[in-house]
Structure formats: C-alpha cells, structure tokens
Amino acid sequence: MTATEWNTWRDQRLRGTTAPHGIAALALTAWLGPDAEPVDGLPGRWRLEADGPIIGDGFSPEDGVAGGEVRLDAGQEHAFGDVIARRFDRDGTVALRVIDPSAPSRTSIEGIGAFDYSDEWIVSGAFTPAAAASTVDVIAVDGVSSVAEVGGRIALELPTGPVELTVTRNRAGALSAVFSDASSTVDVYRFRFLSVAEPVNGVATVDFTRAYLPPCAFSDEYVCPTPLPGNRWNVRVEAGEKNVVRV
C-alpha cells in the first residue's frame, strides 16, 4: 500500500463509521426475553418469542406500522423514520439494536486519530497453519465466551521486536486477528483489529498500517471480541488507527 492509498482508506473509514447508520450510530443493544418491554429510542414494546422471532407491538397510529406488529427474524431490521431497529444474534441469544443517527456516539466524532504512515509496518512472516478443526475460546468485552476457528500463527519481526500473531477464520473463511500492544490504553485504544490476506507459499503479509479500531471504540453498546492471550504484546505497534477523536 502506498501513502496515497492509505490516505484514501483513512477517508473511507471515517465516512463509513460516521455515516447516518454507520458503526458509530449504535445507541443501544437491548437483550430481549419473553416479556414485552419498552426499548429506549423505539416506539412500542418488544419481546423474543419462543420460536425465534422478535415481535414488536403496542404501537400508536403515528408509528406507521402496518398490521400493528413488527416481526424481525435473523438478519432483519425495521425503520421508524431515521431510527432503525435491527436484530442481533449471538450464540443463541438475541438482542434488539437501536441505530440512531442522532446518537451522541456518532454526533460527537471529529475524526479517527492514527499514527503517521510508514511502510516499515507492512511485515511478512512465516505462517504455520492450524490443525484441522482447531478452535479457541474468544472472550468478548462483556465477558461472554464464544468459539472461533483458528487459522494459524504468523511469526513476525516488527520494527519494535518479534511477535507471534494468532489469526482466526470467520464463516466466510477470511483471516483476521485482534491484538493489543504496549501502546494500548496509553495513547491507543485498548485493542485493535486486523484483516490478514491469505498466505502465499507459507508466507503471510500483515499490514499494520491498516490496524483499525473495533466497533466498541465508537459505541459502548457493541460486544467486541478481545485479544487472545498470545496476541497481547509488550512491544509497541506504532501504525494504524489510535483512538476516536471527539469534540
């Protein structure tokens, strides 16, 4: 990646996260049960039915809900003007997310701070693939554990010292990682995300200039995965995004 390409990526990141319904607009994640309850920022009352759908009812005529009921199955959402009610599923638990362009988590953002670009932070290293069906427990910021497929490990020589990066595979098969380093909680958010290209001939290239902030850096209502123990380093990674800059 060139410096010009990196600046374009930076601009796209800011536009995407601060878009009216972008990452920063998450105002609430409400975990639902069988009893209908109001949800802050939304009209009506909401519950999770035993067979799976989220049901919203108890609306007033001005809410404009045809038939007087909203049903949200996996992957679905419903708009109330500019505000979106979006279903969120996590390992058998279900929440209702409120996406609101007027949320302070969005309107207070001035920018995304980052280290200066340097291609010395685009680093290649030997990739050791994980054994078939290898998994690891991943802990989210709220303490909930889930299982992820291990993709492998990459031995890297950073400008500040050697590290080993464990990468996982998502359902689409792509490699990614969560890491923290000696700059985390000092002048950088407590951890960051990385997308990692598929290794070629046993070599993986990791572009730390594109290390990016997790959604929970923009809104406390996200339940981001935290770094695996081996991805918590005592060397600084002085590349990529640092912190959300707010007014």
Side-chain angles (χ1 to χ4, degrees):
M1 180 198 294
T2 65
T4 299
E5 292 169 332
W6 182 75
N7 283 320
T8 298
W9 172 75
R10 293 255 293 134
D11 291 341
Q12 291 172 341
R13 275 281 294 163
L14 182 59
R15 287 198 302 270
T17 55
T18 60
H21 297 113
I23 288 172
L26 179 61
L28 180 68
T29 296
W31 299 95
L32 300 178
D35 298 326
E37 297 180 352
V39 172
D40 288 347
L42 295 177
R45 298 165 302 176
W46 299 84
R47 69 185 187 277
L48 179 65
E49 294 226 319
D51 59 352
I54 290 175
I55 301 295
D57 57 20
F59 301 108
S60 60
E62 56 267 26
D63 295 325
V65 177
E69 182 180 277
V70 172
R71 176 191 175 105
L72 298 178
D73 292 306
Q76 293 185 328
E77 61 183 35
H78 183 89
F80 296 92
D82 290 338
V83 178
I84 292 175
R86 178 179 295 160
R87 178 177 171 130
F88 171 64
D89 290 72
R90 179 178 66 166
D91 296 334
T93 58
V94 180
L96 187 64
R97 283 184 159 167
V98 181
I99 315 297
D100 185 353
S102 67
S105 56
R106 173 181 178 265
T107 59
S108 66
I109 293 178
E110 188 175 70
I112 302 173
F115 290 99
D116 291 338
Y117 175 81
S118 173
D119 61 8
E120 70 175 349
W121 287 98
I122 303 174
V123 186
S124 296
F127 175 75
T128 302
S134 293
T135 61
V136 64
D137 291 334
V138 178
I139 308 299
V141 292
D142 62 349
V144 174
S145 176
S146 60
V147 176
E149 178 186 349
V150 180
R153 293 171 177 82
I154 309 169
L156 297 168
E157 187 67 43
L158 303 184
T160 49
V163 299
E164 184 178 79
L165 178 69
T166 299
V167 292
T168 57
R169 289 193 183 277
N170 62 20
R171 292 180 181 177
L175 294 174
S176 64
V178 185
F179 76 96
S180 62
D181 62 279
S183 68
S184 302
T185 73
V186 178
D187 52 352
V188 176
Y189 188 72
R190 58 184 179 143
F191 56 88
R192 291 179 282 172
F193 286 2
L194 276 170
S195 297
V196 179
E198 196 66 29
V200 177
N201 297 325
V203 176
T205 298
V206 182
D207 187 350
F208 286 96
T209 72
R210 291 205 188 196
Y212 62 98
L213 296 176
C216 50
F218 297 88
S219 169
D220 292 336
E221 294 298 316
Y222 286 103
V223 286
C224 298
T226 60
L228 298 173
N231 288 353
R232 301 172 184 179
W233 305 326
N234 59 8
V235 300
R236 284 177 63 88
V237 175
E238 297 178 343
E241 295 181 344
K242 298 172 70 175
N243 271 309
V244 178
V245 180
R246 299 190 183 272
V247 294

